Amino acid sequence: MTAHVGTVDELFARDRREDRTVLVDATGRDYDAHWLCTSAWKAGNFLRHAGVREGVTVGVAGNGPVALLACFGATLLGATTHPNPPADLTDATDLQALVAPVDELESGRYDLPRGTSMLGYGEKPETPAIKHFDAGLWSENPSFPPQSLAPETGLLTDGGAAVSHAQVLESARTLIDEYEIEAGDRVVVREPLSAVEVAVAGVFAPLLVGAVTVLEAESVDGTAGEDDTQERVKRSEGDEYGTRYTISNATASESTHQIDPAELSLADRTA
């Protein structure tokens, strides 16, 4: 049964801090709901210092747990997240902050509008203008003041119009009902989170129903490590893990529960 919430920030309420697994990263490490909620609150508090608030956009590069925390922290503040944005962001008028690996920021990969905060994760940055997201995250207050967001608030964007909280939740519920996804099931993400539909299917739908997001590993040639993912899913739950779903627009021969993100209807977006 899905949670009865009007906006995604409600999925990080204090009463949802539990010891059930909600995320498995590319190394096979498990993260529980208690960690997710508390760390998302810390991320929101840190992003607030960078001027993140309702009505602005936060670019987030990467597909790992830290990148997801940046997305969730922005969500708690009512900001819109642009996952894995392009390098040229000079025309992004509402980009308040960019969260990315330190080496990418220090390499000059991104062209940003004047005034955009740069928050780097990974190694400690040597550039004074880059704030260390990791250090700020773990030193923040592990609580978050209640927010009151409208369902029409923008949640995700791919650089065009935003998708609102209401639209994301509606699409997630439709997906959950159609595929009969249940709490404890595994949802393996094999497509880039830069696609709004992939983020909805692979992150927000599992979060809503209490399933587990499994972040796909990559092999040395940059392709998905299919066999490695199967082993990690089994290892994380023994022999009694829930039904496994795969988010992919390519044929996944090992799973009969494949979800093509293109099936999600998110054409109507907020302005």
Side-chain angles (χ1 to χ4, degrees), residues 2-31:
T2 59
H4 295 286
V5 297
T7 52
V8 172
D9 58 296
E10 296 178 49
L11 296 174
F12 298 91
R14 185 171 295 274
D15 60 3
R16 292 179 64 86
R17 294 190 304 176
E18 302 170 348
D19 61 1
R20 58 183 173 85
T21 299
V22 294
L23 176 68
V24 179
D25 71 11
T27 70
R29 179 180 177 182
D30 293 354
Y31 299 84

Side-chain angles (χ1 to χ4, degrees), residues 97-119:
L98 175 64
V99 182
V102 169
D103 57 351
E104 292 187 5
L105 293 175
E106 292 191 323
S107 71
R109 173 183 177 183
Y110 294 98
D111 293 320
L112 303 174
R114 177 183 291 271
T116 300
S117 296
M118 292 186 292
L119 311 176

Side-chain angles (χ1 to χ4, degrees), residues 7-187:
T7 52
V8 172
D9 58 296
E10 296 178 49
L11 296 174
F12 298 91
R14 185 171 295 274
D15 60 3
R16 292 179 64 86
R17 294 190 304 176
E18 302 170 348
D19 61 1
R20 58 183 173 85
T21 299
V22 294
L23 176 68
V24 179
D25 71 11
T27 70
R29 179 180 177 182
D30 293 354
Y31 299 84
D32 61 28
H34 190 285
W35 174 89
L36 188 73
C37 288
T38 302
S39 301
W41 299 341
K42 290 182 177 183
N45 287 328
F46 184 63
L47 289 170
R48 195 195 307 272
H49 298 317
V52 176
R53 60 196 182 280
E54 189 170 351
V56 305
T57 297
V58 177
V60 178
N63 297 314
V66 176
L68 288 180
L69 289 182
C71 171
F72 296 148
T75 296
L76 291 173
L77 295 169
T80 300
T81 297
H82 187 172
N84 292 316
D88 186 358
L89 293 164
T90 52
D91 294 330
T93 58
D94 59 354
L95 186 67
Q96 180 63 34
L98 175 64
V99 182
V102 169
D103 57 351
E104 292 187 5
L105 293 175
E106 292 191 323
S107 71
R109 173 183 177 183
Y110 294 98
D111 293 320
L112 303 174
R114 177 183 291 271
T116 300
S117 296
M118 292 186 292
L119 311 176
Y121 62 88
E123 296 296 325
K124 183 178 179 180
E126 298 180 359
T127 306
I130 301 174
K131 298 178 181 179
H132 197 200
F133 188 76
D134 306 60
L137 181 66
W138 306 126
S139 65
E140 273 296 340
N141 187 352
S143 62
F144 197 84
Q147 291 285 93
S148 180
L149 301 177
E152 296 76 25
T153 302
L155 175 64
L156 294 170
T157 183
D158 55 8
V163 178
S164 70
H165 283 245
Q167 291 168 313
V168 167
L169 290 172
E170 179 182 2
S171 293
R173 290 189 178 101
T174 298
L175 191 73
I176 290 166
D177 291 343
E178 180 179 351
Y179 287 89
E180 300 181 344
I181 303 173
E182 298 181 349
D185 287 346
R186 259 48 184 165
V187 181

Side-chain angles (χ1 to χ4, degrees), residues 204-271:
F204 291 99
L207 189 64
L208 181 64
V209 77
V212 183
T213 293
V214 180
L215 301 175
E216 178 65 279
E218 291 189 352
S219 64
V220 292
D221 62 359
T223 59
E226 186 173 298
D227 293 338
D228 180 64
T229 298
Q230 293 185 61
E231 179 59 30
R232 288 187 299 107
V233 173
K234 292 178 182 178
R235 188 168 62 246
S236 67
E237 281 293 304
D239 294 327
E240 298 182 358
Y241 57 96
T243 303
R244 182 156 160 261
Y245 297 84
T246 300
I247 308 297
S248 176
N249 57 21
T251 301
S253 59
E254 86 291 347
S255 173
T256 58
H257 302 283
Q258 179 176 323
I259 300 173
D260 186 345
E263 295 177 0
L264 273 71
S265 178
L266 288 166
D268 297 327
R269 304 190 179 189
T270 58

